[in-house]
Amino acid sequence: MMMRASEFVIVTAVAFLLLWETTASKLRVHLRAFVQNVIYSNKIAIFSKSYCLRAKRIFSELHEQPYVVELDLRGDGAQIQSVLLDVVGRSTVPQIFVNGKHIGGSDDLKAAVLSGKLQKLLGIS
């Protein structure tokens, strides 16, 4: 039995959508693994944008060197922000992690400095 052109188009479209969904799902799994790896492989990890300077400045003043992922300089930055929403419940940047613990954004970081919580996490006085 021969397939009509309209049936062929529908079958092709469905196959493409299934392939796209599978590819997107694999990419999301890969990006989630990337985010987790960054968080747990670095003493300090910041998911940021190149123009977000406050958190980076705070760590510089503490003589600490964070591992920074600049989302606006990556082709997959928007997808990583979406993964951050799944991981920490926030998609805003920066998102800061110290020793695998989520600190929050720059306001949370500033509060942690003022309370001494950040210095304690970093093992500095």
Side-chain angles (χ1 to χ4, degrees), residues 3-19:
M3 196 182 305
R4 290 184 288 175
S6 60
E7 292 172 328
F8 177 76
V9 168
I10 291 171
V11 168
T12 303
V14 168
F16 174 78
L17 289 174
L18 289 173
L19 178 63

PDB file of all heavy atoms in Angstrom, residues 3-19:
ATOM      1  N   MET A   3       1.742   5.232   0.506  1.00  0.00           N
ATOM      2  CA  MET A   3       1.368   6.320   1.399  1.00  0.00           C
ATOM      3  C   MET A   3       1.142   7.581   0.574  1.00  0.00           C
ATOM      4  O   MET A   3       1.903   7.891  -0.324  1.00  0.00           O
ATOM      5  CB  MET A   3       2.503   6.561   2.412  1.00  0.00           C
ATOM      6  CG  MET A   3       2.099   7.369   3.580  1.00  0.00           C
ATOM      7  SD  MET A   3       3.439   7.702   4.763  1.00  0.00           S
ATOM      8  CE  MET A   3       4.070   6.117   5.197  1.00  0.00           C
ATOM      9  N   ARG A   4       0.071   8.296   0.912  1.00  0.00           N
ATOM     10  CA  ARG A   4      -0.184   9.572   0.238  1.00  0.00           C
ATOM     11  C   ARG A   4       0.795  10.620   0.770  1.00  0.00           C
ATOM     12  O   ARG A   4       1.337  10.483   1.861  1.00  0.00           O
ATOM     13  CB  ARG A   4      -1.619  10.031   0.480  1.00  0.00           C
ATOM     14  CG  ARG A   4      -2.634   9.157  -0.240  1.00  0.00           C
ATOM     15  CD  ARG A   4      -4.018   9.685  -0.058  1.00  0.00           C
ATOM     16  NE  ARG A   4      -4.386   9.416   1.348  1.00  0.00           N
ATOM     17  CZ  ARG A   4      -5.495   9.806   1.931  1.00  0.00           C
ATOM     18  NH1 ARG A   4      -6.372  10.523   1.251  1.00  0.00           N
ATOM     19  NH2 ARG A   4      -5.757   9.522   3.176  1.00  0.00           N
ATOM     20  N   ALA A   5       0.984  11.674  -0.003  1.00  0.00           N
ATOM     21  CA  ALA A   5       1.915  12.738   0.365  1.00  0.00           C
ATOM     22  C   ALA A   5       1.548  13.353   1.705  1.00  0.00           C
ATOM     23  O   ALA A   5       2.420  13.615   2.541  1.00  0.00           O
ATOM     24  CB  ALA A   5       1.960  13.807  -0.727  1.00  0.00           C
ATOM     25  N   SER A   6       0.273  13.578   1.963  1.00  0.00           N
ATOM     26  CA  SER A   6      -0.143  14.199   3.231  1.00  0.00           C
ATOM     27  C   SER A   6       0.142  13.274   4.414  1.00  0.00           C
ATOM     28  O   SER A   6       0.551  13.733   5.483  1.00  0.00           O
ATOM     29  CB  SER A   6      -1.623  14.574   3.201  1.00  0.00           C
ATOM     30  OG  SER A   6      -2.417  13.419   3.002  1.00  0.00           O
ATOM     31  N   GLU A   7      -0.035  11.972   4.222  1.00  0.00           N
ATOM     32  CA  GLU A   7       0.281  11.013   5.285  1.00  0.00           C
ATOM     33  C   GLU A   7       1.790  10.973   5.528  1.00  0.00           C
ATOM     34  O   GLU A   7       2.242  10.895   6.671  1.00  0.00           O
ATOM     35  CB  GLU A   7      -0.228   9.613   4.911  1.00  0.00           C
ATOM     36  CG  GLU A   7      -1.724   9.513   4.872  1.00  0.00           C
ATOM     37  CD  GLU A   7      -2.195   8.181   4.315  1.00  0.00           C
ATOM     38  OE1 GLU A   7      -1.509   7.611   3.443  1.00  0.00           O
ATOM     39  OE2 GLU A   7      -3.253   7.728   4.770  1.00  0.00           O
ATOM     40  N   PHE A   8       2.562  11.049   4.464  1.00  0.00           N
ATOM     41  CA  PHE A   8       4.016  11.059   4.581  1.00  0.00           C
ATOM     42  C   PHE A   8       4.478  12.277   5.384  1.00  0.00           C
ATOM     43  O   PHE A   8       5.343  12.169   6.251  1.00  0.00           O
ATOM     44  CB  PHE A   8       4.672  11.051   3.194  1.00  0.00           C
ATOM     45  CG  PHE A   8       6.163  11.143   3.249  1.00  0.00           C
ATOM     46  CD1 PHE A   8       6.916  10.028   3.601  1.00  0.00           C
ATOM     47  CD2 PHE A   8       6.822  12.333   2.980  1.00  0.00           C
ATOM     48  CE1 PHE A   8       8.298  10.104   3.677  1.00  0.00           C
ATOM     49  CE2 PHE A   8       8.196  12.425   3.060  1.00  0.00           C
ATOM     50  CZ  PHE A   8       8.938  11.303   3.406  1.00  0.00           C
ATOM     51  N   VAL A   9       3.891  13.418   5.105  1.00  0.00           N
ATOM     52  CA  VAL A   9       4.251  14.645   5.816  1.00  0.00           C
ATOM     53  C   VAL A   9       3.928  14.500   7.303  1.00  0.00           C
ATOM     54  O   VAL A   9       4.731  14.865   8.165  1.00  0.00           O
ATOM     55  CB  VAL A   9       3.533  15.870   5.207  1.00  0.00           C
ATOM     56  CG1 VAL A   9       3.669  17.100   6.097  1.00  0.00           C
ATOM     57  CG2 VAL A   9       4.055  16.155   3.811  1.00  0.00           C
ATOM     58  N   ILE A  10       2.788  13.947   7.631  1.00  0.00           N
ATOM     59  CA  ILE A  10       2.385  13.772   9.034  1.00  0.00           C
ATOM     60  C   ILE A  10       3.325  12.799   9.733  1.00  0.00           C
ATOM     61  O   ILE A  10       3.812  13.072  10.832  1.00  0.00           O
ATOM     62  CB  ILE A  10       0.916  13.304   9.132  1.00  0.00           C
ATOM     63  CG1 ILE A  10      -0.005  14.443   8.683  1.00  0.00           C
ATOM     64  CG2 ILE A  10       0.576  12.852  10.551  1.00  0.00           C
ATOM     65  CD1 ILE A  10      -1.451  14.047   8.523  1.00  0.00           C
ATOM     66  N   VAL A  11       3.623  11.673   9.099  1.00  0.00           N
ATOM     67  CA  VAL A  11       4.519  10.677   9.684  1.00  0.00           C
ATOM     68  C   VAL A  11       5.913  11.280   9.881  1.00  0.00           C
ATOM     69  O   VAL A  11       6.548  11.103  10.927  1.00  0.00           O
ATOM     70  CB  VAL A  11       4.572   9.398   8.810  1.00  0.00           C
ATOM     71  CG1 VAL A  11       5.703   8.483   9.248  1.00  0.00           C
ATOM     72  CG2 VAL A  11       3.237   8.679   8.852  1.00  0.00           C
ATOM     73  N   THR A  12       6.396  12.021   8.907  1.00  0.00           N
ATOM     74  CA  THR A  12       7.708  12.663   9.003  1.00  0.00           C
ATOM     75  C   THR A  12       7.721  13.681  10.142  1.00  0.00           C
ATOM     76  O   THR A  12       8.682  13.751  10.914  1.00  0.00           O
ATOM     77  CB  THR A  12       8.077  13.334   7.670  1.00  0.00           C
ATOM     78  OG1 THR A  12       8.047  12.351   6.638  1.00  0.00           O
ATOM     79  CG2 THR A  12       9.454  13.971   7.736  1.00  0.00           C
ATOM     80  N   ALA A  13       6.659  14.458  10.266  1.00  0.00           N
ATOM     81  CA  ALA A  13       6.584  15.467  11.329  1.00  0.00           C
ATOM     82  C   ALA A  13       6.577  14.814  12.707  1.00  0.00           C
ATOM     83  O   ALA A  13       7.261  15.266  13.626  1.00  0.00           O
ATOM     84  CB  ALA A  13       5.342  16.337  11.144  1.00  0.00           C
ATOM     85  N   VAL A  14       5.822  13.745  12.859  1.00  0.00           N
ATOM     86  CA  VAL A  14       5.772  13.038  14.142  1.00  0.00           C
ATOM     87  C   VAL A  14       7.146  12.456  14.471  1.00  0.00           C
ATOM     88  O   VAL A  14       7.618  12.564  15.606  1.00  0.00           O
ATOM     89  CB  VAL A  14       4.684  11.934  14.118  1.00  0.00           C
ATOM     90  CG1 VAL A  14       4.810  11.009  15.318  1.00  0.00           C
ATOM     91  CG2 VAL A  14       3.300  12.560  14.063  1.00  0.00           C
ATOM     92  N   ALA A  15       7.794  11.861  13.503  1.00  0.00           N
ATOM     93  CA  ALA A  15       9.139  11.296  13.718  1.00  0.00           C
ATOM     94  C   ALA A  15      10.115  12.397  14.120  1.00  0.00           C
ATOM     95  O   ALA A  15      10.921  12.217  15.038  1.00  0.00           O
ATOM     96  CB  ALA A  15       9.621  10.577  12.460  1.00  0.00           C
ATOM     97  N   PHE A  16      10.036  13.541  13.466  1.00  0.00           N
ATOM     98  CA  PHE A  16      10.914  14.656  13.803  1.00  0.00           C
ATOM     99  C   PHE A  16      10.665  15.131  15.231  1.00  0.00           C
ATOM    100  O   PHE A  16      11.606  15.366  15.992  1.00  0.00           O
ATOM    101  CB  PHE A  16      10.703  15.820  12.824  1.00  0.00           C
ATOM    102  CG  PHE A  16      11.480  17.049  13.193  1.00  0.00           C
ATOM    103  CD1 PHE A  16      12.838  17.128  12.925  1.00  0.00           C
ATOM    104  CD2 PHE A  16      10.866  18.116  13.835  1.00  0.00           C
ATOM    105  CE1 PHE A  16      13.560  18.250  13.274  1.00  0.00           C
ATOM    106  CE2 PHE A  16      11.584  19.248  14.194  1.00  0.00           C
ATOM    107  CZ  PHE A  16      12.935  19.314  13.911  1.00  0.00           C
ATOM    108  N   LEU A  17       9.403  15.265  15.613  1.00  0.00           N
ATOM    109  CA  LEU A  17       9.075  15.715  16.971  1.00  0.00           C
ATOM    110  C   LEU A  17       9.563  14.723  18.023  1.00  0.00           C
ATOM    111  O   LEU A  17      10.068  15.124  19.075  1.00  0.00           O
ATOM    112  CB  LEU A  17       7.574  15.953  17.109  1.00  0.00           C
ATOM    113  CG  LEU A  17       7.027  17.172  16.364  1.00  0.00           C
ATOM    114  CD1 LEU A  17       5.519  17.220  16.444  1.00  0.00           C
ATOM    115  CD2 LEU A  17       7.652  18.452  16.890  1.00  0.00           C
ATOM    116  N   LEU A  18       9.431  13.445  17.757  1.00  0.00           N
ATOM    117  CA  LEU A  18       9.920  12.436  18.702  1.00  0.00           C
ATOM    118  C   LEU A  18      11.436  12.506  18.820  1.00  0.00           C
ATOM    119  O   LEU A  18      11.983  12.423  19.922  1.00  0.00           O
ATOM    120  CB  LEU A  18       9.480  11.036  18.272  1.00  0.00           C
ATOM    121  CG  LEU A  18       7.988  10.739  18.435  1.00  0.00           C
ATOM    122  CD1 LEU A  18       7.655   9.386  17.807  1.00  0.00           C
ATOM    123  CD2 LEU A  18       7.593  10.768  19.897  1.00  0.00           C
ATOM    124  N   LEU A  19      12.116  12.677  17.710  1.00  0.00           N
ATOM    125  CA  LEU A  19      13.570  12.804  17.721  1.00  0.00           C
ATOM    126  C   LEU A  19      13.977  14.075  18.465  1.00  0.00           C
ATOM    127  O   LEU A  19      14.890  14.061  19.286  1.00  0.00           O
ATOM    128  CB  LEU A  19      14.120  12.824  16.292  1.00  0.00           C
ATOM    129  CG  LEU A  19      15.630  13.004  16.150  1.00  0.00           C
ATOM    130  CD1 LEU A  19      16.356  11.825  16.802  1.00  0.00           C
ATOM    131  CD2 LEU A  19      16.007  13.134  14.695  1.00  0.00           C
TER     132      LEU A  19
END
